[in-house]
Amino acid sequence: MNKDVVSIIFGDSIAYGLFDNEYYGWANRIRIKLEIKNNFVFNLAIPGQNSFDILNKFEQELMNRYNKEDEFKIIFSFGIKDALLINDDTKIDYFKNNVLEIIEKAKKYTQNIYFIGLLKPDINIRKEYNLDNVVLVDNCLEDICKLQNVKYIRIRDLINIDELSDGLHPNEVGHKKIANVILEKIY
């Protein structure tokens, strides 16, 4: 008998699927493609989440759905809110420590761990973002994944400015592009 493949997504508003009025985000697009193949996708992303929030909730949510008989994939997609927290007083170290602890906890359940990189916001519209901080967080995430032997999927340059609904969240075209890349790299 084939094992079920269960993918659980933890993330922020981009992973949640805001502004995709067609299919409700890249995660749901993946779920629709995979549900006919004994692949189950649970999107547990919550708008506004940062690395602190994910660290504090993901293990309990995962344990509620974990079955050792299934093949588990954990997909993390966050960091854009962390980029807002970086300033002269708050360095990137808190983000590194949170991601390392998330990986350590996730490895207790599976080695199929994936991190989706950050998108670049349109800073002409989203003036609260500093592009250097977004790139710093994304590069940090990529470096940690390499060191921890965890898969990282870069999407930083995937989305064009006109594929962002509000300067931050992808529109339907952007979510479709992200879904296609994730399907290609993970499934």
Side-chain angles (χ1 to χ4, degrees), residues 18-185:
L18 288 183
F19 294 101
D20 181 351
N21 297 320
E22 189 176 53
Y23 287 101
Y24 309 105
W26 60 259
N28 198 48
R29 289 170 181 271
I30 290 170
R31 183 191 61 76
I32 291 167
K33 291 247 188 205
L34 297 178
E35 66 185 0
I36 59 172
K37 301 177 185 176
N38 277 1
N39 281 263
F40 302 96
V41 178
F42 297 95
N43 186 3
L44 303 181
I46 299 173
Q49 298 283 281
N50 62 33
S51 62
F52 291 109
D53 302 315
I54 302 294
L55 176 59
N56 289 326
K57 79 164 200 158
F58 97 90
E59 191 171 21
Q60 183 62 46
E61 293 290 341
L62 179 61
M63 287 187 330
N64 290 337
R65 292 158 181 84
Y66 184 74
N67 177 350
K68 66 181 178 184
E69 304 302 319
D70 296 332
E71 178 184 333
F72 262 80
K73 296 176 189 279
I74 305 173
I75 302 170
F76 294 101
S77 178
F78 62 85
I80 198 70
K81 293 296 183 185
D82 292 280
L84 287 175
L85 300 175
I86 297 173
N87 56 43
D88 293 336
D89 297 322
T90 303
K91 307 296 183 219
I92 191 76
D93 292 340
Y94 81 90
F95 180 74
K96 289 179 187 176
N97 293 335
N98 288 345
V99 172
L100 285 168
E101 193 170 343
I102 287 168
I103 291 170
E104 180 184 330
K105 288 181 176 187
K107 282 184 174 181
K108 292 189 293 188
Y109 301 93
T110 184
Q111 295 301 305
N112 296 316
I113 303 166
Y114 304 86
F115 280 83
I116 311 304
L118 278 65
L119 293 175
K120 288 192 292 192
D122 181 347
I123 56 172
N124 294 315
I125 296 172
R126 301 306 290 250
K127 297 184 185 312
E128 71 272 28
Y129 283 94
N130 175 320
L131 195 53
D132 290 338
N133 288 350
V134 172
V135 171
L136 177 68
V137 169
D138 194 36
N139 286 341
C140 176
L141 185 60
E142 184 175 16
D143 292 345
I144 291 170
C145 288
K146 283 179 186 171
L147 289 171
Q148 294 295 312
N149 199 26
V150 170
K151 293 147 194 100
Y152 165 85
I153 299 172
R154 177 181 283 244
I155 61 169
R156 184 167 53 203
D157 299 314
L158 180 67
I159 305 297
N160 300 318
I161 295 287
D162 63 339
E163 295 166 345
L164 297 173
S165 290
D166 63 348
L168 179 64
H169 300 92
N171 61 20
E172 289 85 357
V173 173
H175 278 288
K176 182 177 181 181
K177 281 178 150 181
I178 295 169
N180 288 339
V181 166
I182 293 171
L183 282 165
E184 176 187 316
K185 301 274 185 186

